[in-house]
Amino acid sequence: MGIFIESIISGILIGMSYAVLAAGLALIFGVMKIINFAHAEFAVLAMYFPTYWFLNWWGIDPFISAFIALPYSSLSDT
């Protein structure tokens, strides 16, 4: 049962990350009519660094810290 719940949470987190990436790409392409290939690098950095900091500085579980880091990544994505 624990693996099932963990898989559901992991799927939700990945889906939310894809949604943030898609929204950012759609916004950039809609405004500038240019596809930004560096967009994925910035998104990965925006999700990786807060999750890493939460884990090392405060000992927060990576799944929980990803929920905290997602709003930050959506703000710093573009």
Side-chain angles (χ1 to χ4, degrees), residues 18-31 34-40 77-78:
Y18 286 155
V20 168
L21 279 171
L25 282 173
L27 180 66
I28 290 172
F29 184 71
V31 172
I34 296 172
I35 298 174
N36 185 5
F37 290 108
H39 186 80
D77 196 29
T78 55

Side-chain angles (χ1 to χ4, degrees), residues 58-72:
W58 294 297
I60 299 174
D61 186 62
F63 283 120
I64 296 171
S65 65
F67 278 116
I68 298 169
L70 188 65
Y72 170 76

Side-chain angles (χ1 to χ4, degrees), residues 2-77:
I3 294 174
F4 178 72
I5 293 172
E6 186 174 325
S7 297
I8 295 294
I9 292 172
S10 179
I12 290 171
L13 289 173
I14 290 170
M16 288 177 9
S17 297
Y18 286 155
V20 168
L21 279 171
L25 282 173
L27 180 66
I28 290 172
F29 184 71
V31 172
M32 297 175 38
K33 303 293 186 210
I34 296 172
I35 298 174
N36 185 5
F37 290 108
H39 186 80
E41 287 182 28
F42 293 127
V44 168
L45 288 175
M47 277 300 286
Y48 175 73
F49 284 127
T51 305
Y52 177 76
W53 291 331
F54 288 142
L55 178 64
N56 284 336
W57 289 349
W58 294 297
I60 299 174
D61 186 62
F63 283 120
I64 296 171
S65 65
F67 278 116
I68 298 169
L70 188 65
Y72 170 76
S73 70
S74 66
L75 292 175
S76 66
D77 196 29

